[in-house]
Amino acid sequence: LTGNVVLIFVLPVALLAVCFLFYVRTVPDHPAAFAENPEPLSQVFRQLLFDPREHRDFTLVWIGRFLLQTGLTFFSTYQLYFLLDRLNLSPQDAGQKLALVGGIGIAVTTGFAVMGGVLSDRWQRRKVFIYFASALAAAGLTVMAFAPNVIAYSAATLLILAAAGLFGSVDLAMAGDVVPDKSAAGRWMSILNVAGYIPSAIAPVLAPLILAIGSAPNYTALYLTGALIATGAGFTAWRIRAVR
């Protein structure tokens, strides 16, 4: 198992380090010029605000990302505790399982991201891939909710990571299609990114309340709630009018 961990993690990291050093040594870099009249911080935050009624489709994309990311955050935050509490693994065994499944998951996530992006552009379809990603996430979280062993946990994890890869690439493309002002695309993409950051702050606050339902820790309730929330991403995509 140790050899597998080395192959999965150490070699890719070493390769990335070599590529980074090559980039730093060969690509010239020049300091950015300082703005003469920088905007006040309050103005920067105000630019993250927009009228949801005026930009309906963009709002739906924002909500969809928020919902799916919330479900994924339930999974990522508590999967170690799930292995320890539900499957009764030792900390060492749990860490090894996380490393092994996570390493395989990198390939799954990347593969689904590339496949989704290429096919979505080729077929000029966005929504169907969001539906599929939402269904994959809900299926993975549901399997996780009732997983009795490491095999079921691994299957659930790979389903969820596949959903994350597929959704990530196609959702970004769909956001580019509905950006209200393409001349200020950076601003709107920054607003969209907020939808991915908020769940990492609120999900760990909500999760303990769900885990406390019935006989704590109630991982079944937690992951079923995550599955229900992730399903909402498909519903919001269905309501978008500007893309197919």
Side-chain angles (χ1 to χ4, degrees):
L1 183 58
T2 302
N4 290 334
V5 173
V6 171
L7 288 174
I8 292 171
F9 286 100
V10 176
L11 290 181
V13 170
L15 180 61
L16 286 174
V18 172
C19 292
F20 173 75
L21 291 174
F22 177 78
Y23 176 84
V24 170
R25 295 296 298 271
T26 58
V27 177
D29 187 22
H30 303 287
F34 288 98
E36 294 183 0
N37 298 306
E39 293 182 347
L41 188 60
S42 59
Q43 179 63 23
V44 174
F45 283 108
R46 276 198 294 269
Q47 290 183 3
L48 296 177
L49 302 177
F50 68 100
D51 187 348
R53 297 167 299 179
E54 184 178 351
H55 308 296
R56 176 182 179 277
D57 284 346
F58 182 83
T59 301
L60 290 170
V61 173
W62 194 100
I63 295 173
R65 175 174 290 198
F66 170 80
L67 292 174
L68 193 92
Q69 193 60 44
T70 299
L72 296 182
T73 303
F74 281 163
F75 159 74
S76 61
T77 304
Y78 286 93
Q79 60 173 326
L80 174 60
Y81 303 107
F82 176 88
L83 292 174
L84 297 173
D85 298 335
R86 168 73 70 83
L87 302 188
N88 298 315
L89 298 182
S90 68
Q92 181 180 0
D93 287 342
Q96 290 176 344
K97 297 299 185 295
L98 284 175
L100 183 59
V101 177
I104 298 171
I106 293 174
V108 172
T109 303
T110 303
F112 272 79
V114 173
M115 177 190 68
V118 170
L119 293 180
S120 176
D121 286 341
R122 180 175 299 175
W123 296 341
Q124 290 299 296
R125 294 287 190 276
R126 309 293 190 206
K127 292 184 179 181
V128 65
F129 293 96
I130 299 298
Y131 300 155
F132 188 42
S134 176
L136 280 176
L141 288 163
T142 301
V143 172
M144 191 81 167
F146 299 101
N149 51 47
V150 173
I151 295 176
Y153 156 78
S154 301
T157 299
L158 295 180
L159 285 173
I160 293 168
L161 294 178
L166 181 60
F167 183 88
S169 62
V170 180
D171 178 67
L172 187 61
M174 187 164 66
D177 293 336
V178 301
V179 163
D181 181 6
K182 295 189 183 299
S183 66
R187 175 209 170 199
W188 290 101
M189 287 303 177
S190 297
I191 294 172
L192 181 66
N193 286 337
V194 173
Y197 299 146
I198 293 178
S200 63
I202 66 171
V205 176
L206 296 176
L209 303 177
I210 303 172
L211 287 168
I213 297 173
S215 56
N218 193 339
Y219 291 103
T220 300
L222 177 68
Y223 289 124
L224 286 180
T225 301
L228 182 62
I229 293 173
T231 304
F235 179 76
T236 57
W238 174 64
R239 299 287 295 170
I240 293 173
R241 297 170 182 168
V243 298
R244 294 186 294 174

mmCIF file of all heavy atoms in Angstrom, residues 5-51:
data_model
loop_
_atom_site.group_PDB
_atom_site.id
_atom_site.type_symbol
_atom_site.label_atom_id
_atom_site.label_comp_id
_atom_site.label_asym_id
_atom_site.label_seq_id
_atom_site.Cartn_x
_atom_site.Cartn_y
_atom_site.Cartn_z
ATOM 1 N N VAL A 5 0.812 4.505 -2.550
ATOM 2 C CA VAL A 5 0.696 5.899 -2.141
ATOM 3 C C VAL A 5 1.810 6.737 -2.758
ATOM 4 O O VAL A 5 1.602 7.862 -3.214
ATOM 5 C CB VAL A 5 0.721 6.005 -0.596
ATOM 6 C CG1 VAL A 5 0.785 7.471 -0.168
ATOM 7 C CG2 VAL A 5 -0.491 5.327 0.003
ATOM 8 N N VAL A 6 3.021 6.169 -2.805
ATOM 9 C CA VAL A 6 4.138 6.878 -3.418
ATOM 10 C C VAL A 6 3.870 7.135 -4.893
ATOM 11 O O VAL A 6 4.074 8.246 -5.402
ATOM 12 C CB VAL A 6 5.450 6.081 -3.234
ATOM 13 C CG1 VAL A 6 6.570 6.696 -4.068
ATOM 14 C CG2 VAL A 6 5.844 6.045 -1.766
ATOM 15 N N LEU A 7 3.384 6.114 -5.598
ATOM 16 C CA LEU A 7 3.116 6.268 -7.029
ATOM 17 C C LEU A 7 2.005 7.268 -7.278
ATOM 18 O O LEU A 7 2.054 8.052 -8.223
ATOM 19 C CB LEU A 7 2.738 4.904 -7.628
ATOM 20 C CG LEU A 7 3.875 3.887 -7.760
ATOM 21 C CD1 LEU A 7 3.321 2.544 -8.229
ATOM 22 C CD2 LEU A 7 4.936 4.382 -8.733
ATOM 23 N N ILE A 8 0.990 7.262 -6.417
ATOM 24 C CA ILE A 8 -0.186 8.099 -6.648
ATOM 25 C C ILE A 8 0.081 9.555 -6.303
ATOM 26 O O ILE A 8 -0.361 10.474 -6.993
ATOM 27 C CB ILE A 8 -1.387 7.562 -5.828
ATOM 28 C CG1 ILE A 8 -1.836 6.208 -6.399
ATOM 29 C CG2 ILE A 8 -2.544 8.542 -5.851
ATOM 30 C CD1 ILE A 8 -2.853 5.505 -5.537
ATOM 31 N N PHE A 9 0.839 9.797 -5.238
ATOM 32 C CA PHE A 9 0.992 11.163 -4.752
ATOM 33 C C PHE A 9 2.393 11.740 -4.957
ATOM 34 O O PHE A 9 2.542 12.849 -5.460
ATOM 35 C CB PHE A 9 0.648 11.214 -3.250
ATOM 36 C CG PHE A 9 -0.816 11.113 -2.979
ATOM 37 C CD1 PHE A 9 -1.370 9.902 -2.595
ATOM 38 C CD2 PHE A 9 -1.641 12.204 -3.114
ATOM 39 C CE1 PHE A 9 -2.722 9.804 -2.352
ATOM 40 C CE2 PHE A 9 -2.992 12.114 -2.876
ATOM 41 C CZ PHE A 9 -3.540 10.910 -2.490
ATOM 42 N N VAL A 10 3.410 11.005 -4.560
ATOM 43 C CA VAL A 10 4.763 11.564 -4.570
ATOM 44 C C VAL A 10 5.246 11.848 -5.980
ATOM 45 O O VAL A 10 5.769 12.935 -6.274
ATOM 46 C CB VAL A 10 5.741 10.624 -3.841
ATOM 47 C CG1 VAL A 10 7.164 11.171 -3.936
ATOM 48 C CG2 VAL A 10 5.331 10.456 -2.389
ATOM 49 N N LEU A 11 5.052 10.900 -6.907
ATOM 50 C CA LEU A 11 5.540 11.101 -8.268
ATOM 51 C C LEU A 11 4.841 12.261 -8.982
ATOM 52 O O LEU A 11 5.514 13.103 -9.592
ATOM 53 C CB LEU A 11 5.393 9.801 -9.062
ATOM 54 C CG LEU A 11 6.341 8.659 -8.639
ATOM 55 C CD1 LEU A 11 6.127 7.443 -9.517
ATOM 56 C CD2 LEU A 11 7.796 9.114 -8.691
ATOM 57 N N PRO A 12 3.486 12.364 -8.910
ATOM 58 C CA PRO A 12 2.851 13.535 -9.544
ATOM 59 C C PRO A 12 3.315 14.862 -8.939
ATOM 60 O O PRO A 12 3.520 15.841 -9.658
ATOM 61 C CB PRO A 12 1.357 13.303 -9.304
ATOM 62 C CG PRO A 12 1.233 11.830 -9.156
ATOM 63 C CD PRO A 12 2.472 11.391 -8.462
ATOM 64 N N VAL A 13 3.469 14.892 -7.613
ATOM 65 C CA VAL A 13 3.912 16.129 -6.964
ATOM 66 C C VAL A 13 5.330 16.476 -7.412
ATOM 67 O O VAL A 13 5.651 17.640 -7.679
ATOM 68 C CB VAL A 13 3.839 15.991 -5.435
ATOM 69 C CG1 VAL A 13 4.519 17.171 -4.752
ATOM 70 C CG2 VAL A 13 2.385 15.896 -4.986
ATOM 71 N N ALA A 14 6.194 15.452 -7.505
ATOM 72 C CA ALA A 14 7.565 15.693 -7.961
ATOM 73 C C ALA A 14 7.572 16.214 -9.396
ATOM 74 O O ALA A 14 8.340 17.130 -9.739
ATOM 75 C CB ALA A 14 8.378 14.408 -7.853
ATOM 76 N N LEU A 15 6.727 15.638 -10.242
ATOM 77 C CA LEU A 15 6.643 16.096 -11.627
ATOM 78 C C LEU A 15 6.161 17.542 -11.701
ATOM 79 O O LEU A 15 6.700 18.352 -12.473
ATOM 80 C CB LEU A 15 5.703 15.175 -12.421
ATOM 81 C CG LEU A 15 5.499 15.524 -13.896
ATOM 82 C CD1 LEU A 15 6.833 15.462 -14.640
ATOM 83 C CD2 LEU A 15 4.495 14.565 -14.533
ATOM 84 N N LEU A 16 5.150 17.883 -10.898
ATOM 85 C CA LEU A 16 4.660 19.261 -10.871
ATOM 86 C C LEU A 16 5.751 20.213 -10.386
ATOM 87 O O LEU A 16 5.880 21.340 -10.896
ATOM 88 C CB LEU A 16 3.437 19.353 -9.956
ATOM 89 C CG LEU A 16 2.143 18.761 -10.493
ATOM 90 C CD1 LEU A 16 1.053 18.789 -9.427
ATOM 91 C CD2 LEU A 16 1.669 19.503 -11.742
ATOM 92 N N ALA A 17 6.544 19.770 -9.403
ATOM 93 C CA ALA A 17 7.622 20.614 -8.888
ATOM 94 C C ALA A 17 8.659 20.883 -9.969
ATOM 95 O O ALA A 17 9.146 22.019 -10.115
ATOM 96 C CB ALA A 17 8.273 19.948 -7.679
ATOM 97 N N VAL A 18 8.998 19.857 -10.746
ATOM 98 C CA VAL A 18 9.959 20.031 -11.831
ATOM 99 C C VAL A 18 9.413 20.999 -12.881
ATOM 100 O O VAL A 18 10.125 21.896 -13.361
ATOM 101 C CB VAL A 18 10.304 18.676 -12.466
ATOM 102 C CG1 VAL A 18 11.142 18.868 -13.731
ATOM 103 C CG2 VAL A 18 11.065 17.799 -11.469
ATOM 104 N N CYS A 19 8.134 20.836 -13.234
ATOM 105 C CA CYS A 19 7.514 21.734 -14.218
ATOM 106 C C CYS A 19 7.484 23.170 -13.699
ATOM 107 O O CYS A 19 7.721 24.127 -14.457
ATOM 108 C CB CYS A 19 6.100 21.261 -14.538
ATOM 109 S SG CYS A 19 6.031 19.690 -15.426
ATOM 110 N N PHE A 20 7.205 23.328 -12.408
ATOM 111 C CA PHE A 20 7.157 24.672 -11.823
ATOM 112 C C PHE A 20 8.525 25.336 -11.882
ATOM 113 O O PHE A 20 8.650 26.508 -12.256
ATOM 114 C CB PHE A 20 6.666 24.583 -10.381
ATOM 115 C CG PHE A 20 6.728 25.882 -9.637
ATOM 116 C CD1 PHE A 20 5.793 26.880 -9.891
ATOM 117 C CD2 PHE A 20 7.716 26.124 -8.698
ATOM 118 C CE1 PHE A 20 5.854 28.090 -9.219
ATOM 119 C CE2 PHE A 20 7.777 27.332 -8.020
ATOM 120 C CZ PHE A 20 6.843 28.320 -8.284
ATOM 121 N N LEU A 21 9.563 24.596 -11.519
ATOM 122 C CA LEU A 21 10.916 25.154 -11.559
ATOM 123 C C LEU A 21 11.329 25.518 -12.985
ATOM 124 O O LEU A 21 11.956 26.557 -13.225
ATOM 125 C CB LEU A 21 11.905 24.154 -10.964
ATOM 126 C CG LEU A 21 11.795 23.923 -9.452
ATOM 127 C CD1 LEU A 21 12.735 22.813 -9.018
ATOM 128 C CD2 LEU A 21 12.076 25.206 -8.686
ATOM 129 N N PHE A 22 10.945 24.655 -13.935
ATOM 130 C CA PHE A 22 11.244 24.943 -15.340
ATOM 131 C C PHE A 22 10.538 26.226 -15.779
ATOM 132 O O PHE A 22 11.129 27.071 -16.461
ATOM 133 C CB PHE A 22 10.798 23.765 -16.205
ATOM 134 C CG PHE A 22 10.995 23.992 -17.684
ATOM 135 C CD1 PHE A 22 12.259 23.869 -18.255
ATOM 136 C CD2 PHE A 22 9.921 24.336 -18.493
ATOM 137 C CE1 PHE A 22 12.443 24.096 -19.614
ATOM 138 C CE2 PHE A 22 10.094 24.557 -19.851
ATOM 139 C CZ PHE A 22 11.361 24.430 -20.405
ATOM 140 N N TYR A 23 9.276 26.379 -15.368
ATOM 141 C CA TYR A 23 8.512 27.577 -15.721
ATOM 142 C C TYR A 23 9.154 28.819 -15.119
ATOM 143 O O TYR A 23 9.316 29.852 -15.798
ATOM 144 C CB TYR A 23 7.077 27.428 -15.215
ATOM 145 C CG TYR A 23 6.216 28.646 -15.432
ATOM 146 C CD1 TYR A 23 5.577 28.863 -16.638
ATOM 147 C CD2 TYR A 23 6.051 29.591 -14.419
ATOM 148 C CE1 TYR A 23 4.789 29.985 -16.852
ATOM 149 C CE2 TYR A 23 5.280 30.719 -14.614
ATOM 150 C CZ TYR A 23 4.651 30.906 -15.832
ATOM 151 O OH TYR A 23 3.878 32.023 -16.030
ATOM 152 N N VAL A 24 9.522 28.746 -13.851
ATOM 153 C CA VAL A 24 10.097 29.910 -13.175
ATOM 154 C C VAL A 24 11.416 30.331 -13.813
ATOM 155 O O VAL A 24 11.711 31.525 -13.953
ATOM 156 C CB VAL A 24 10.288 29.604 -11.675
ATOM 157 C CG1 VAL A 24 11.107 30.695 -10.991
ATOM 158 C CG2 VAL A 24 8.938 29.451 -10.997
ATOM 159 N N ARG A 25 12.200 29.354 -14.232
ATOM 160 C CA ARG A 25 13.517 29.662 -14.790
ATOM 161 C C ARG A 25 13.471 30.122 -16.239
ATOM 162 O O ARG A 25 14.395 30.780 -16.715
ATOM 163 C CB ARG A 25 14.427 28.434 -14.674
ATOM 164 C CG ARG A 25 14.762 28.021 -13.257
ATOM 165 C CD ARG A 25 15.569 29.098 -12.537
ATOM 166 N NE ARG A 25 16.843 29.343 -13.194
ATOM 167 C CZ ARG A 25 17.966 28.689 -12.929
ATOM 168 N NH1 ARG A 25 17.952 27.744 -11.993
ATOM 169 N NH2 ARG A 25 19.083 28.973 -13.565
ATOM 170 N N THR A 26 12.438 29.774 -16.971
ATOM 171 C CA THR A 26 12.414 30.060 -18.412
ATOM 172 C C THR A 26 11.443 31.159 -18.821
ATOM 173 O O THR A 26 11.647 31.796 -19.857
ATOM 174 C CB THR A 26 12.056 28.785 -19.201
ATOM 175 O OG1 THR A 26 10.788 28.280 -18.755
ATOM 176 C CG2 THR A 26 13.127 27.709 -19.002
ATOM 177 N N VAL A 27 10.382 31.390 -18.055
ATOM 178 C CA VAL A 27 9.373 32.385 -18.437
ATOM 179 C C VAL A 27 9.662 33.692 -17.716
ATOM 180 O O VAL A 27 9.713 33.724 -16.483
ATOM 181 C CB VAL A 27 7.960 31.890 -18.095
ATOM 182 C CG1 VAL A 27 6.923 32.973 -18.440
ATOM 183 C CG2 VAL A 27 7.654 30.605 -18.844
ATOM 184 N N PRO A 28 9.898 34.769 -18.449
ATOM 185 C CA PRO A 28 10.191 36.061 -17.789
ATOM 186 C C PRO A 28 8.969 36.577 -17.043
ATOM 187 O O PRO A 28 7.830 36.382 -17.453
ATOM 188 C CB PRO A 28 10.559 36.977 -18.967
ATOM 189 C CG PRO A 28 9.887 36.358 -20.160
ATOM 190 C CD PRO A 28 9.892 34.867 -19.909
ATOM 191 N N ASP A 29 9.244 37.241 -15.942
ATOM 192 C CA ASP A 29 8.170 37.787 -15.117
ATOM 193 C C ASP A 29 8.499 39.238 -14.792
ATOM 194 O O ASP A 29 9.640 39.554 -14.449
ATOM 195 C CB ASP A 29 8.020 36.968 -13.825
ATOM 196 C CG ASP A 29 6.812 37.404 -13.011
ATOM 197 O OD1 ASP A 29 5.893 37.992 -13.600
ATOM 198 O OD2 ASP A 29 6.808 37.161 -11.794
ATOM 199 N N HIS A 30 7.502 40.102 -14.910
ATOM 200 C CA HIS A 30 7.703 41.517 -14.632
ATOM 201 C C HIS A 30 6.703 41.963 -13.582
ATOM 202 O O HIS A 30 5.516 41.600 -13.652
ATOM 203 C CB HIS A 30 7.515 42.353 -15.906
ATOM 204 C CG HIS A 30 8.423 41.936 -17.029
ATOM 205 N ND1 HIS A 30 9.778 42.208 -17.039
ATOM 206 C CD2 HIS A 30 8.168 41.233 -18.176
ATOM 207 C CE1 HIS A 30 10.319 41.711 -18.132
ATOM 208 N NE2 HIS A 30 9.365 41.114 -18.832
ATOM 209 N N PRO A 31 7.113 42.737 -12.611
ATOM 210 C CA PRO A 31 6.177 43.207 -11.572
ATOM 211 C C PRO A 31 5.046 44.014 -12.186
ATOM 212 O O PRO A 31 5.245 44.775 -13.139
ATOM 213 C CB PRO A 31 7.061 44.078 -10.664
ATOM 214 C CG PRO A 31 8.467 43.627 -10.951
ATOM 215 C CD PRO A 31 8.478 43.204 -12.403
ATOM 216 N N ALA A 32 3.864 43.830 -11.651
ATOM 217 C CA ALA A 32 2.713 44.591 -12.129
ATOM 218 C C ALA A 32 2.823 46.035 -11.671
ATOM 219 O O ALA A 32 3.331 46.326 -10.577
ATOM 220 C CB ALA A 32 1.415 43.962 -11.612
ATOM 221 N N ALA A 33 2.324 46.920 -12.502
ATOM 222 C CA ALA A 33 2.359 48.341 -12.154
ATOM 223 C C ALA A 33 1.320 48.644 -11.077
ATOM 224 O O ALA A 33 0.213 48.098 -11.090
ATOM 225 C CB ALA A 33 2.087 49.186 -13.393
ATOM 226 N N PHE A 34 1.667 49.512 -10.146
ATOM 227 C CA PHE A 34 0.742 49.904 -9.099
ATOM 228 C C PHE A 34 -0.236 50.942 -9.646
ATOM 229 O O PHE A 34 0.138 51.841 -10.404
ATOM 230 C CB PHE A 34 1.495 50.491 -7.903
ATOM 231 C CG PHE A 34 2.241 49.482 -7.104
ATOM 232 C CD1 PHE A 34 3.602 49.291 -7.292
ATOM 233 C CD2 PHE A 34 1.585 48.699 -6.168
ATOM 234 C CE1 PHE A 34 4.299 48.353 -6.556
ATOM 235 C CE2 PHE A 34 2.268 47.751 -5.424
ATOM 236 C CZ PHE A 34 3.626 47.573 -5.617
ATOM 237 N N ALA A 35 -1.487 50.796 -9.238
ATOM 238 C CA ALA A 35 -2.493 51.770 -9.652
ATOM 239 C C ALA A 35 -2.251 53.095 -8.933
ATOM 240 O O ALA A 35 -1.964 53.122 -7.724
ATOM 241 C CB ALA A 35 -3.892 51.248 -9.324
ATOM 242 N N GLU A 36 -2.391 54.187 -9.683
ATOM 243 C CA GLU A 36 -2.167 55.500 -9.084
ATOM 244 C C GLU A 36 -3.274 55.858 -8.099
ATOM 245 O O GLU A 36 -3.016 56.463 -7.057
ATOM 246 C CB GLU A 36 -2.079 56.551 -10.187
ATOM 247 C CG GLU A 36 -0.866 56.379 -11.093
ATOM 248 C CD GLU A 36 -0.784 57.477 -12.126
ATOM 249 O OE1 GLU A 36 -1.673 58.361 -12.125
ATOM 250 O OE2 GLU A 36 0.160 57.464 -12.942
ATOM 251 N N ASN A 37 -4.503 55.500 -8.439
ATOM 252 C CA ASN A 37 -5.637 55.789 -7.563
ATOM 253 C C ASN A 37 -6.402 54.502 -7.288
ATOM 254 O O ASN A 37 -7.437 54.220 -7.919
ATOM 255 C CB ASN A 37 -6.562 56.827 -8.206
ATOM 256 C CG ASN A 37 -5.864 58.150 -8.423
ATOM 257 O OD1 ASN A 37 -5.298 58.722 -7.484
ATOM 258 N ND2 ASN A 37 -5.904 58.647 -9.653
ATOM 259 N N PRO A 38 -5.897 53.667 -6.370
ATOM 260 C CA PRO A 38 -6.567 52.392 -6.100
ATOM 261 C C PRO A 38 -7.964 52.594 -5.522
ATOM 262 O O PRO A 38 -8.218 53.566 -4.797
ATOM 263 C CB PRO A 38 -5.639 51.724 -5.082
ATOM 264 C CG PRO A 38 -4.901 52.846 -4.441
ATOM 265 C CD PRO A 38 -4.729 53.880 -5.509
ATOM 266 N N GLU A 39 -8.877 51.680 -5.871
ATOM 267 C CA GLU A 39 -10.232 51.767 -5.361
ATOM 268 C C GLU A 39 -10.254 51.436 -3.874
ATOM 269 O O GLU A 39 -9.510 50.572 -3.406
ATOM 270 C CB GLU A 39 -11.142 50.784 -6.108
ATOM 271 C CG GLU A 39 -11.362 51.123 -7.559
ATOM 272 C CD GLU A 39 -12.316 50.148 -8.221
ATOM 273 O OE1 GLU A 39 -12.586 49.097 -7.609
ATOM 274 O OE2 GLU A 39 -12.790 50.438 -9.323
ATOM 275 N N PRO A 40 -11.111 52.105 -3.113
ATOM 276 C CA PRO A 40 -11.235 51.761 -1.690
ATOM 277 C C PRO A 40 -11.791 50.340 -1.536
ATOM 278 O O PRO A 40 -12.496 49.831 -2.409
ATOM 279 C CB PRO A 40 -12.216 52.806 -1.152
ATOM 280 C CG PRO A 40 -12.955 53.296 -2.355
ATOM 281 C CD PRO A 40 -11.991 53.206 -3.506
ATOM 282 N N LEU A 41 -11.472 49.720 -0.406
ATOM 283 C CA LEU A 41 -11.896 48.343 -0.166
ATOM 284 C C LEU A 41 -13.410 48.199 -0.190
ATOM 285 O O LEU A 41 -13.943 47.186 -0.655
ATOM 286 C CB LEU A 41 -11.336 47.854 1.171
ATOM 287 C CG LEU A 41 -11.515 46.366 1.490
ATOM 288 C CD1 LEU A 41 -10.831 45.509 0.448
ATOM 289 C CD2 LEU A 41 -10.968 46.060 2.884
ATOM 290 N N SER A 42 -14.115 49.211 0.289
ATOM 291 C CA SER A 42 -15.578 49.147 0.301
ATOM 292 C C SER A 42 -16.136 49.053 -1.110
ATOM 293 O O SER A 42 -17.124 48.347 -1.358
ATOM 294 C CB SER A 42 -16.153 50.379 1.004
ATOM 295 O OG SER A 42 -15.737 51.579 0.341
ATOM 296 N N GLN A 43 -15.493 49.727 -2.067
ATOM 297 C CA GLN A 43 -15.933 49.669 -3.456
ATOM 298 C C GLN A 43 -15.704 48.283 -4.046
ATOM 299 O O GLN A 43 -16.514 47.795 -4.844
ATOM 300 C CB GLN A 43 -15.198 50.724 -4.281
ATOM 301 C CG GLN A 43 -15.563 50.743 -5.754
ATOM 302 C CD GLN A 43 -17.016 51.094 -5.990
ATOM 303 O OE1 GLN A 43 -17.648 51.735 -5.139
ATOM 304 N NE2 GLN A 43 -17.569 50.672 -7.113
ATOM 305 N N VAL A 44 -14.606 47.646 -3.646
ATOM 306 C CA VAL A 44 -14.328 46.287 -4.116
ATOM 307 C C VAL A 44 -15.439 45.339 -3.684
ATOM 308 O O VAL A 44 -15.936 44.528 -4.474
ATOM 309 C CB VAL A 44 -12.967 45.802 -3.577
ATOM 310 C CG1 VAL A 44 -12.740 44.332 -3.926
ATOM 311 C CG2 VAL A 44 -11.838 46.660 -4.138
ATOM 312 N N PHE A 45 -15.876 45.453 -2.436
ATOM 313 C CA PHE A 45 -16.942 44.581 -1.943
ATOM 314 C C PHE A 45 -18.281 44.908 -2.588
ATOM 315 O O PHE A 45 -19.100 44.024 -2.832
ATOM 316 C CB PHE A 45 -17.047 44.673 -0.420
ATOM 317 C CG PHE A 45 -15.980 43.910 0.307
ATOM 318 C CD1 PHE A 45 -14.960 44.571 0.950
ATOM 319 C CD2 PHE A 45 -15.982 42.524 0.328
ATOM 320 C CE1 PHE A 45 -13.964 43.875 1.604
ATOM 321 C CE2 PHE A 45 -14.992 41.807 0.976
ATOM 322 C CZ PHE A 45 -13.987 42.480 1.617
ATOM 323 N N ARG A 46 -18.508 46.185 -2.868
ATOM 324 C CA ARG A 46 -19.763 46.563 -3.519
ATOM 325 C C ARG A 46 -19.875 45.964 -4.914
ATOM 326 O O ARG A 46 -20.976 45.699 -5.407
ATOM 327 C CB ARG A 46 -19.883 48.093 -3.579
ATOM 328 C CG ARG A 46 -20.438 48.725 -2.320
ATOM 329 C CD ARG A 46 -20.949 50.125 -2.571
ATOM 330 N NE ARG A 46 -19.871 51.027 -2.933
ATOM 331 C CZ ARG A 46 -19.169 51.747 -2.058
ATOM 332 N NH1 ARG A 46 -19.430 51.667 -0.772
ATOM 333 N NH2 ARG A 46 -18.202 52.558 -2.470
ATOM 334 N N GLN A 47 -18.739 45.744 -5.558
ATOM 335 C CA GLN A 47 -18.765 45.158 -6.897
ATOM 336 C C GLN A 47 -19.168 43.689 -6.889
ATOM 337 O O GLN A 47 -19.441 43.114 -7.944
ATOM 338 C CB GLN A 47 -17.395 45.326 -7.554
ATOM 339 C CG GLN A 47 -17.066 46.760 -7.917
ATOM 340 C CD GLN A 47 -15.739 46.891 -8.633
ATOM 341 O OE1 GLN A 47 -15.082 45.905 -8.918
ATOM 342 N NE2 GLN A 47 -15.352 48.121 -8.935
ATOM 343 N N LEU A 48 -19.202 43.079 -5.718
ATOM 344 C CA LEU A 48 -19.658 41.695 -5.615
ATOM 345 C C LEU A 48 -21.173 41.596 -5.494
ATOM 346 O O LEU A 48 -21.724 40.497 -5.481
ATOM 347 C CB LEU A 48 -19.009 41.013 -4.398
ATOM 348 C CG LEU A 48 -17.485 40.852 -4.452
ATOM 349 C CD1 LEU A 48 -16.983 40.241 -3.158
ATOM 350 C CD2 LEU A 48 -17.065 40.000 -5.643
ATOM 351 N N LEU A 49 -21.835 42.741 -5.403
ATOM 352 C CA LEU A 49 -23.285 42.760 -5.281
ATOM 353 C C LEU A 49 -23.919 42.970 -6.655
ATOM 354 O O LEU A 49 -23.372 43.652 -7.513
ATOM 355 C CB LEU A 49 -23.725 43.880 -4.336
ATOM 356 C CG LEU A 49 -23.150 43.829 -2.908
ATOM 357 C CD1 LEU A 49 -23.621 45.043 -2.120
ATOM 358 C CD2 LEU A 49 -23.547 42.542 -2.215
ATOM 359 N N PHE A 50 -25.087 42.360 -6.853
ATOM 360 C CA PHE A 50 -25.825 42.547 -8.103
ATOM 361 C C PHE A 50 -27.296 42.275 -7.836
ATOM 362 O O PHE A 50 -27.668 41.700 -6.806
ATOM 363 C CB PHE A 50 -25.297 41.608 -9.205
ATOM 364 C CG PHE A 50 -25.573 40.146 -8.955
ATOM 365 C CD1 PHE A 50 -26.630 39.511 -9.582
ATOM 366 C CD2 PHE A 50 -24.772 39.404 -8.089
ATOM 367 C CE1 PHE A 50 -26.891 38.169 -9.365
ATOM 368 C CE2 PHE A 50 -25.014 38.067 -7.866
ATOM 369 C CZ PHE A 50 -26.077 37.444 -8.504
ATOM 370 N N ASP A 51 -28.119 42.692 -8.771
ATOM 371 C CA ASP A 51 -29.567 42.524 -8.639
ATOM 372 C C ASP A 51 -29.973 41.165 -9.216
ATOM 373 O O ASP A 51 -29.913 40.976 -10.435
ATOM 374 C CB ASP A 51 -30.288 43.646 -9.384
ATOM 375 C CG ASP A 51 -31.794 43.630 -9.145
ATOM 376 O OD1 ASP A 51 -32.304 42.629 -8.607
ATOM 377 O OD2 ASP A 51 -32.462 44.616 -9.507
#
